Amino acid sequence: MERLDKFLCDCAVGSRSQVKGILKTGVVTVDGVPVKDGSCKVDPQKMQICFNGTVLSHRGRVVLMLHKPAGYVTATADAHQPTVMELLPGEYRKLELNPVGRLDKDTEGLLLFTDDGDLLHRLISPKHEIPKVYYARHEGAATNEDVQAFFQGLTLGDGTQCRPAKLEPLGAGESLITVCEGKYHQVRRMMASRNMPVLYLQRRQEGCLILGDLPLGQVRELTEEEVASLEK
Ligand code: URA
């Protein structure tokens, strides 16, 4: 437990004296109740502390990795289908986290979340060309011609031009695919365009980040080093 006024200062709401004035106006709430007394003790891990309606957190920015299972849409809200937000443990639901990019409902694997808007935009910007590695089980078997076609940049059935990508056959019906862009259903459409419809798709790597043995449906916070690697 810590003092409310100290917590507000740590969250950069204002200086000690500014916080005192802010508290008087009643715009700070603890679990929905306006609190004007800065000496009040709070537990920011368990209580929801808001300033002008925005949830505060002094833990710095948060970047999470989820091993997304199939069956969840990548969205912050959806009227009809379960979303990836439902997979986040309660302590993270209070934060303003957004998924970084998108995995299809049926795709499993590495999905990042952050509450840092700048980092989010940098990671999803096509300018940064972060390579993403997917494991696919698919019909057919990849040939050298398929590898070449990926390398040269595929043109999909609707005329969409893809940037050069890497196709690594692992054996009959299994491949690794590396792409540096994120078009709609990209890997599935690329594979289908070479007569290898995808049966199962899992994202295993994004930049330097590796899904590793994070269990399906589980979340972990990235280390500072991992976050730094994303910013390079
Ligand atoms: N490509 C796809 O087809 N689906 C995904 O979820 C990600 C990449």
Side-chain angles (χ1 to χ4, degrees), residues 1-213:
M1 298 285 265
E2 60 185 291
R3 283 177 62 111
L4 177 60
D5 49 10
K6 177 170 183 311
F7 171 76
L8 294 171
C9 289
D10 289 349
C11 291
V13 165
S15 65
R16 198 95 186 192
S17 59
Q18 285 168 332
V19 159
K20 208 169 171 187
I22 287 168
L23 278 164
K24 277 194 196 140
T25 65
V27 291
V28 175
T29 58
V30 177
D31 287 339
V33 180
V35 176
K36 296 185 174 180
D37 177 5
S39 70
C40 165
K41 289 282 172 39
V42 292
D43 179 350
Q45 296 299 324
K46 299 204 179 108
M47 299 170 170
Q48 189 175 70
I49 303 159
C50 294
F51 169 51
N52 276 334
T54 300
V55 180
L56 295 175
S57 155
H58 70 167
R59 44 181 311 170
R61 71 160 161 216
V62 175
V63 189
L64 299 178
M65 178 192 292
L66 165 72
H67 186 165
K68 177 193 175 296
Y72 293 82
V73 292
T74 307
T76 48
D78 190 285
H80 306 291
Q81 310 184 77
T83 74
V84 289
M85 305 313 283
E86 293 167 36
L87 296 161
L88 301 183
E91 61 188 293
Y92 297 116
R93 299 222 193 151
K94 294 177 193 164
L95 309 178
E96 302 206 326
L97 289 166
N98 280 294
V100 179
R102 189 175 287 269
L103 286 180
D104 300 337
K105 186 176 175 190
D106 292 336
T107 302
E108 297 194 337
L110 191 166
L111 182 64
L112 298 177
F113 292 82
T114 185
D115 59 355
D116 179 338
D118 290 339
L119 181 65
L120 175 70
H121 286 111
R122 246 176 299 139
L123 292 176
I124 59 179
S125 154
K127 269 196 295 186
H128 290 92
E129 297 189 0
I130 295 179
K132 298 172 193 89
V133 183
Y134 295 86
Y135 164 82
R137 270 203 307 276
H138 52 85
E139 290 182 12
T143 62
N144 281 340
E145 290 78 63
D146 295 318
V147 173
Q148 279 306 313
F150 270 65
F151 182 70
Q152 271 151 22
L154 292 172
T155 307
L156 304 180
D158 64 356
T160 303
Q161 184 63 48
C162 299
R163 290 193 197 159
K166 189 164 159 194
L167 173 66
E168 295 171 79
L170 298 175
E174 279 184 293
S175 298
L176 290 179
I177 300 108
T178 306
V179 293
C180 292
E181 52 188 348
K183 298 187 197 305
Y184 177 69
H185 287 342
Q186 178 151 4
V187 173
R188 292 174 195 276
R189 289 181 351 174
M190 288 167 92
M191 293 298 280
S193 79
R194 299 297 303 180
N195 292 318
M196 295 181 285
V198 167
L199 306 170
Y200 170 81
L201 190 62
Q202 182 194 52
R203 181 152 69 198
R204 291 195 169 168
Q205 196 172 340
E206 188 161 351
C208 299
L209 298 178
I210 296 175
L211 180 63
D213 54 9

